[in-house]
Amino acid sequence: MIYSTILAIHSLVRWLVLISLVYAVFRACRGWWANKVFTRTDNLVRHVTATIAHVQLVLGICLYYISPVIQYFLHNYKDAVHDRGTRFFGMEHSSMMLLAVIMITVGSAHAKRRATDGLKFRTMAIWYSLALLVILVMIPWPFSSLASRPYTRDLFPGFN
């Protein structure tokens, strides 16, 4: 029950991560290219986006330790590493999503400390865009050839 609940929340929070990242990249690019002032709202978007990504990372780490797929992967590594779906969640998804959150964290920290508004926007645009690209590739979309999962999960399975 706890596994399916955390999995459902993780599945829903992915949309918050994507929406906040797309919005942050949009604001950063617009500010950078139009030489805008880095406002309190821009700073809030930077901070909230990083916070949502960190919440998603914590949910992902919890799932990593309780997921039956990961347990199979860890206990049957020699066989599991040859199964695309199992390997995707056991190694590829988890490591690349960790990398994406690190990119968001570094981008957020560097943008916060830049001396000029243009550098703040540029730093945020570059780091957040790279993270967004990694995330888009590594999400197990229903159409993905790496691993296919539904767009959302039932938050309360068994209460239909």
Side-chain angles (χ1 to χ4, degrees), residues 12-153:
L12 290 172
V13 172
R14 106 171 101 173
W15 296 107
L16 296 176
V17 171
L18 288 172
I19 291 165
S20 66
L21 257 179
V22 167
Y23 185 62
V25 167
F26 167 76
R27 286 190 71 95
C29 289
R30 186 185 67 173
W32 178 21
W33 297 331
N35 293 317
K36 293 191 175 278
V37 174
F38 195 86
T39 65
R40 293 177 82 189
T41 302
D42 296 311
N43 193 52
L44 182 65
V45 168
R46 174 199 59 79
H47 178 71
V48 167
T49 299
T51 301
I52 293 169
H54 289 123
V55 167
Q56 182 72 331
L57 177 64
V58 169
L59 291 168
I61 290 169
C62 291
L63 281 175
Y64 197 85
Y65 286 102
I66 63 174
S67 167
V69 174
I70 302 304
Q71 293 306 309
Y72 173 79
F73 176 78
L74 294 174
H75 293 100
N76 302 284
Y77 180 79
K78 286 184 180 184
D79 294 326
V81 76
H82 298 290
D83 178 62
R84 175 176 264 188
T86 306
R87 185 184 64 238
F88 175 79
F89 287 106
M91 289 173 47
E92 297 160 3
H93 177 76
S94 52
S95 60
M96 294 306 288
M97 291 303 194
L98 175 61
L99 176 64
V101 174
I102 290 170
M103 289 176 174
I104 292 167
T105 305
V106 168
S108 176
H110 285 330
K112 180 180 178 180
R113 289 166 179 76
R114 294 292 187 225
T116 67
D117 293 340
L119 287 175
K120 289 179 183 194
F121 281 125
R122 187 181 104 195
T123 301
M124 201 168 115
I126 291 169
W127 284 95
Y128 280 26
S129 293
L130 291 172
L132 179 60
L133 179 63
V134 169
I135 289 170
L136 287 172
V137 170
M138 296 312 293
I139 287 176
W141 300 107
F143 53 83
S144 175
S145 62
L146 298 172
S148 179
R149 296 295 189 268
Y151 288 113
T152 60
R153 302 246 179 191

